[in-house]
Every structure is written in structure tokens, then in C-alpha cells.
Amino acid sequence: HSLSPDTPENSLSAFRQAIAHGYGIELDLQLSKDGQVFVFHDDYLNRVCHAEGLASSYSYPELCRFSLSGTQEHIPLLRDVLALVQGQVPLIIEFKTSKRNRELCEKAWELLKGYPGSFVVESFDPRILAWFKRHHPQVVRGILATHLKPADGFPAPLRFALRSLWLNFLGRPHFIAYEHIYKNNFSLVFA
């Protein structure tokens, strides 16, 4: 993130600035309707692109019509980010969960397997980590966790299992990034 309105989050300009300062980069992966691995944090386009709908419900050419935060920047593909970064700084790659988890993992791996730099993968979804554990156990895996609420759309038993880390046996994460919100809105992240 940058305080500059000319540098929207998860944009190539933001990644260029991170590289220039020697900062590691955290980015989020999703799969477009036409099967392209793109980099975008939110499920929905409204906050960053001022557009309606799920980002994953659009083809990549359709996503390219939306600007990021009113700038000239557009939603990048993972392959473009990897070509830009070229191992200059480490990457923390978060896989967003969907009904197409396996396809996202397979397509992202095709792009990552020859990448010359260091990276780790992480997700809130233990099934994504399980895919990496099964197919590419050498990849460092991290589980993301937080206190889920009913509005997050998961049934109560699953919310409890996820926040209690009971499903970690599926992906055997190497690290846990757990966000705990205290009553005074103070956040603490354990890694």
C-alpha cells in the first residue's frame, strides 16, 4: 500500500515501489472467468475499481477495462508481476478461495515453478495448502486465520474449526498468521 493516490494496491506501480525500497511483496491471487491468474485483493470490484460484481466473474479482458482507484493502472496478471519482480524481493502469495481452488493452484504453479526468486504461499483455506503439500511439499505454506463472524458466510461449526486451526492437518502449514482483534479494535498478528 502507498499513501500516494497514484499508486493503488496490488498494482504494478506499487510493486515497482516495493522493489525500489527493498520491501517484500504480499499479493493475492484469483482466477478470472476465462482461467487467467490475476492479482487482486478483494472478492468484489466495488472498493478498488468502483464497479459491480465479483472480480472472478469477469474474463481477464473485461477486468482490464476497470482502472484501479481511478488511476491508469489495471488489474495485473501474476505472470506480469513475476516478470517485473524477477526475484528482487521475496513474495508472499495469498491464494483466494473459490470453487475453482484446484485450477487456481495448478495454473499458479505453472507460473511459479520456474520463478527465480523466493516465495511462500498462504491462504485462509486449508484445502489450498493441502494441494501444495500433496503436489509440491517443498513450497513453504502458511495458514491465515482470524475470528470469523456469521456474516462471513460459513456455518458455525466450520467457523469454529477454522479459527481454532483444527483443519491444519490437511495442509500442515509451516507458519500461522493469526489476526486477533481485541475489544479496543487493536489488531495483533502472530507469525
Side-chain angles (χ1 to χ4, degrees):
H1 294 278
S2 169
L3 297 178
S4 167
D6 298 330
T7 310
E9 64 185 71
N10 278 313
S11 67
L12 291 179
S13 63
F15 300 143
R16 279 188 204 94
Q17 285 190 22
I19 293 165
H21 289 90
Y23 298 150
I25 295 171
E26 190 272 346
L27 54 90
D28 307 89
L29 299 185
Q30 298 187 50
L31 202 58
S32 65
K33 183 171 70 175
D34 58 342
Q36 297 293 311
V37 181
F38 68 94
V39 176
F40 192 72
H41 177 269
D42 297 357
D43 292 333
Y44 290 89
L45 294 167
N46 60 328
R47 181 180 68 86
V48 179
C49 294
H50 309 292
E52 296 298 318
L54 280 169
S56 60
S57 70
Y58 289 88
S59 68
Y60 188 67
E62 291 170 331
L63 288 171
C64 288
R65 293 194 313 240
F66 304 119
S67 71
L68 295 173
S69 301
T71 67
Q72 297 298 311
E73 294 279 339
H74 297 280
I75 297 171
L77 290 170
L78 174 60
R79 72 170 181 237
D80 297 330
V81 174
L82 296 178
L84 172 70
V85 179
Q86 279 296 305
Q88 297 174 79
V89 296
L91 298 175
I92 301 172
I93 302 171
E94 180 182 338
F95 284 68
K96 298 294 192 178
T97 191
S98 76
K99 293 178 180 171
R100 298 167 66 195
N101 281 352
R102 189 182 79 211
E103 184 183 357
L104 174 60
C105 291
E106 289 170 351
K107 288 185 173 185
W109 178 252
E110 283 303 307
L111 296 167
L112 289 167
K113 69 182 180 184
Y115 181 67
S118 61
F119 66 90
V120 300
V121 300
E122 65 181 11
S123 182
F124 283 97
D125 191 329
R127 297 170 301 178
I128 289 172
L129 300 187
W131 186 91
F132 275 95
K133 178 181 174 270
R134 185 175 325 113
H135 298 286
H136 306 288
Q138 76 281 10
V139 173
V140 175
R141 304 174 301 279
I143 192 76
L144 300 170
T146 189
H147 183 79
L148 297 168
K149 302 172 215 57
D152 292 322
F154 297 102
L158 182 55
R159 285 196 318 270
F160 181 79
L162 288 170
R163 82 170 169 253
S164 301
L165 305 173
W166 283 5
L167 300 177
N168 279 0
F169 70 92
L170 295 171
R172 305 283 294 175
H174 297 99
F175 67 92
I176 298 167
Y178 196 100
E179 179 186 41
H180 181 77
I181 307 291
Y182 291 96
K183 289 181 181 170
N184 64 358
N185 292 331
F186 164 129
S187 290
L188 183 62
V189 177
F190 299 94

